C-alpha cells in the first residue's frame, strides 16, 4: 500500500504514510526510490512527520539517503526526539526514503513533497550544509546559480567554508572566469560582502542578519572542485546547530579577535549511527591560564549536562582530536575579554 519507484519532475508531487492523515496499519514499512533525469538532483521537503517519543528509534523512523550512498552521499535518520527534518537535497539523481513504524498512535503520520531541484534554491531554515553542484567532482560549465539563506527572523547567520577551489585568473584579486559572490541580504543588489575564486579558503562570513545571498557563476572552460560550507544561525549572533556528517565552525570575527563578553553555544548533529570527531584546526584564547573566564569546552552529547571535555584556553598548538561516543557534541565558548589576538577554528568529521 506504499512505496515504489517514482520519477521526480519539475512539478511538486506529494507522498504520505498510508491513509494519511488517518491511521496507518501496524508494522508499516514504506520504501520509496525517487529518481530524477540524468544530471539532475532532487529536493525532498517534509511537511508533516510525527511519531511519539515513547516509540523506539530502532523501529520508528524516517530515513532519507542518497542512493547509492557511496563515499560522499548523505544518509539521515529521524526519530521522534529529533528536530523537524530540514529539506533534503540529493547529491545525485536518486534518493531512497524509508518510513518505518511499529504501531500507530494518534497524531502520527508522514507527508512530504519531492521535485527536481535546480541549482538556484532558497533555504528557509536555521542551519544547513551547502555545496557547489557536483562537489567533490568538478562543477558544470556555464552555470549561474543563486542560493538564498533565510534563517528565522531576529537571528544572525554564521557561514563557514569547509573547502574551496574555484577557477581564477593568475591574479586572484580579479575573479573574471568563475566566482562565488556573497551579499548581505536576499537580492542581487544587497551590499557585497565578497567575490571569491582561487584555492584560498575564504574567511567565515558573519552578515549580522538572517539573510545571505550567494551567486555561483561559471564560464565555458576550466572547472575545479568548487566549494562546500556549513552554516547556522542563532539569536545571539554566534552559536547554533551544526548539521552534517562533517563541517567546520569558528569564533565570531575569525580570523580577527572575538568581541569582549562573548558567549556561544554550538550543537554538532551528525547523522544518527555515526561517531563525531572534533579537530582543533586553530585555537588561541587569551586568558591568564586558569580557563575560568575565557574558555572553550566540549561535551560528549547533546547538551551541557553531558560529560565535559576541557576547558581549553591559551594558545594550544597540539590538542589531540576529540572523538565523542555518538553523533552529537555540544560546545560552549565563553570570553570576557581578549587583549592578545584571539580566535579559533574547529572542524568535525564522523
Amino acid at each position: 500500500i506504499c512505496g515504489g519507484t517514482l520519477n521526480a519532475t519539475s512539478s511538486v508531487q506529494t507522498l504520505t504514510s498510508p491513509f494519511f492523515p488517518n491511521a496507518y496499519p501496524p508494522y508499516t514499512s514504506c520504501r520509496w526510490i525517487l529518481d530524477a533525469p540524468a544530471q539532475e538532483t532532487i529536493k525532498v521537503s517534509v511537511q508533516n512527520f510525527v511519531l511519539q517519543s515513547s516509540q523506539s528509534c530502532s523501529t520508528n523512523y524516517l530515513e532519507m539517503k542518497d542512493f547509492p550512498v557511496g563515499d560522499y552521499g548523505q544518509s539521515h535518520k529521524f526519530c521522534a526526539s529529533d528536530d523537524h527534518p530540514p529539506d533534503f537535497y540529493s547529491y545525485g539523481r536518486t534518493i531512497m526514503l524509508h518510513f518505518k513504524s511499529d504501531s500507530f498512535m494518534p497524531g502520527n503520520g508522514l507527508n512530504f513533497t519531492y521535485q527536481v531541484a535546480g541549482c538556484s534554491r532558497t533555504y528557509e531554515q536555521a542551519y544547513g550544509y551547502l555545496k557547489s553542484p557536483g562537489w567533490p567532482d568538478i562543477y558544470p560549465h556555464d552555470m549561474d546559480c543563486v542560493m538564498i539563506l533565510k534563517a528565522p527572523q531576529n537571528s544572525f547567520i554564521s557561514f563557514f567554508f569547509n573547502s574551496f577551489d574555484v577557477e581564477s585568473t593568475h591574479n586572484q584579486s580579479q575573479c573574471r572566469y568563475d566566482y562565488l559572490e556573497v551579499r548581505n541580504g536576499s537580492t542581487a543588489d544587497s551590499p557585497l560582502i565578497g567575490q571569491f575564486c582561487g584555492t584560498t579558503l575564504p574567511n567565515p562570513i558573519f552578515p549580522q542578519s538572517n539573510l545571505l545571498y550567494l551567486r555561483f557563476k561559471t564560464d565555458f572552460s576550466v572547472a575545479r572542485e568548487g566549494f562546500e560550507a556549513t552554516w547556522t544561525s542563532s539569536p545571539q549572533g554566534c552559536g547554533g546547530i551544526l548539521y552534517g556528517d562533517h563541517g567546520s565552525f569558528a569564533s565570531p570575527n575569525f580570523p580577527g579577535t572575538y568581541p569582549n563578553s562573548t558567549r556561544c553555544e554550538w550543537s554538532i548533529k551528525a547523522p544518527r549511527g555515526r561517531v563525531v570527531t572534533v579537530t582543533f584546526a586553530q585555537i588561541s584564547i587569551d586568558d591568564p591560564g586558569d580557563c575560568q573566564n575565557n574558555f572553550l569546552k566540549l561535551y560528549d552529547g547533546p547538551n551541557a549536562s553531558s560529560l565535559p571535555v576541557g576547558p581549553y584556553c591559551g594558545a594550544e598548538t597540539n590538542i589531540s582530536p576529540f572523538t565523542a561516543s555518538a553523533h552529537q557534541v555540544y560546545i560552549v565558548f565563553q570570553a570576557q575579554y581578549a587583549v592578545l589576538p584571539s580566535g579559533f577554528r574547529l572542524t568535525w568529521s564522523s
Side-chain angles (χ1 to χ4, degrees):
I1 52 170
C2 64
T5 300
L6 300 143
N7 289 325
T9 65
S10 53
S11 53
V12 178
Q13 301 177 73
T14 300
L15 288 169
T16 69
S17 51
F19 313 123
F20 181 88
N22 301 318
Y24 50 79
Y27 303 104
T28 285
S29 177
C30 309
R31 249 179 232 275
W32 294 278
I33 304 262
L34 308 180
D35 198 39
Q39 308 302 317
E40 299 284 359
T41 58
I42 301 174
K43 172 189 181 182
V44 170
S45 196
V46 176
Q47 315 296 317
N48 300 85
F49 171 58
V50 181
L51 293 167
Q52 305 308 312
S53 51
S54 59
Q55 294 181 289
S56 146
C57 188
S58 57
T59 47
N60 299 270
Y61 59 80
L62 169 66
E63 185 176 37
M64 297 194 271
K65 60 185 184 185
D66 285 307
F67 187 77
V69 171
D71 289 341
Y72 292 98
Q74 314 152 95
S75 176
H76 292 286
K77 183 175 170 184
F78 300 95
C79 306
S81 60
D82 291 314
D83 299 334
H84 186 81
D87 290 345
F88 184 100
Y89 286 93
S90 68
Y91 284 6
R93 61 182 286 190
T94 311
I95 293 182
M96 189 175 92
L97 290 101
H98 186 197
F99 172 67
K100 188 172 162 75
S101 182
D102 49 20
S103 57
F104 176 82
M105 295 189 181
N108 277 14
L110 169 68
N111 168 22
F112 64 90
T113 63
Y114 67 99
Q115 69 192 102
V116 166
C119 73
S120 291
R121 48 187 70 164
T122 299
Y123 293 87
E124 292 197 44
Q125 52 202 55
Y127 53 86
Y129 168 80
L130 193 68
K131 67 180 193 63
S132 52
W135 189 95
D137 296 328
I138 57 174
Y139 48 76
H141 295 309
D142 286 327
M143 269 193 326
D144 195 349
C145 311
V146 171
M147 293 156 278
I148 296 166
L149 310 186
K150 280 189 180 178
Q153 288 286 350
N154 304 320
S155 69
F156 302 92
I157 287 175
S158 311
F159 188 91
F160 307 105
F161 288 96
N162 304 326
S163 64
F164 195 86
D165 183 3
V166 172
E167 184 202 3
S168 69
T169 47
H170 292 303
N171 170 5
Q172 285 198 15
S173 62
Q174 293 176 308
C175 298
R176 280 211 301 268
Y177 303 136
D178 300 348
Y179 57 82
L180 175 67
E181 175 184 300
V182 183
R183 292 179 178 271
N184 193 340
S186 60
T187 63
D189 51 9
S190 297
L192 182 68
I193 291 173
Q195 196 181 63
F196 305 103
C197 61
T199 55
T200 305
L201 192 70
N203 292 331
I205 294 168
F206 303 101
Q208 305 297 315
S209 76
N210 69 319
L211 298 169
L212 200 61
Y213 171 100
L214 302 109
R215 180 187 180 199
F216 185 47
K217 190 161 183 351
T218 69
D219 67 6
F220 56 86
S221 65
V222 187
R224 308 295 287 262
E225 284 184 357
F227 65 89
E228 40 134 15
T230 302
W231 62 278
T232 187
S233 64
S234 77
Q236 289 75 37
C238 72
I241 290 173
L242 300 162
Y243 179 80
D245 54 24
H246 71 281
S248 64
F249 63 103
S251 50
N253 294 342
F254 185 86
T257 298
Y258 43 78
N260 292 343
S261 308
T262 292
R263 185 178 169 91
C264 315
E265 300 181 17
W266 292 276
S267 177
I268 295 174
K269 290 182 189 284
R272 278 180 180 275
R274 297 185 79 115
V275 171
V276 170
T277 296
V278 178
T279 302
F280 298 80
Q282 201 175 327
I283 174 167
S284 179
I285 297 173
D286 189 8
D287 184 78
D290 57 10
C291 299
Q292 289 294 304
N293 297 320
N294 308 277
F295 62 83
L296 181 70
K297 207 170 189 177
L298 278 57
Y299 296 87
D300 185 1
N303 53 44
S305 58
S306 312
L307 206 61
V309 184
Y312 302 103
C313 67
E316 308 231 14
T317 49
N318 56 353
I319 305 174
S320 55
F322 165 67
T323 298
S325 52
H327 67 293
Q328 298 186 94
V329 174
Y330 193 75
I331 297 115
V332 173
F333 169 56
Q334 185 176 308
Q336 283 189 357
Y337 62 85
V339 181
L340 300 170
S342 297
F344 60 84
R345 178 174 182 265
L346 273 57
T347 64
W348 85 91
S349 59
S350 64

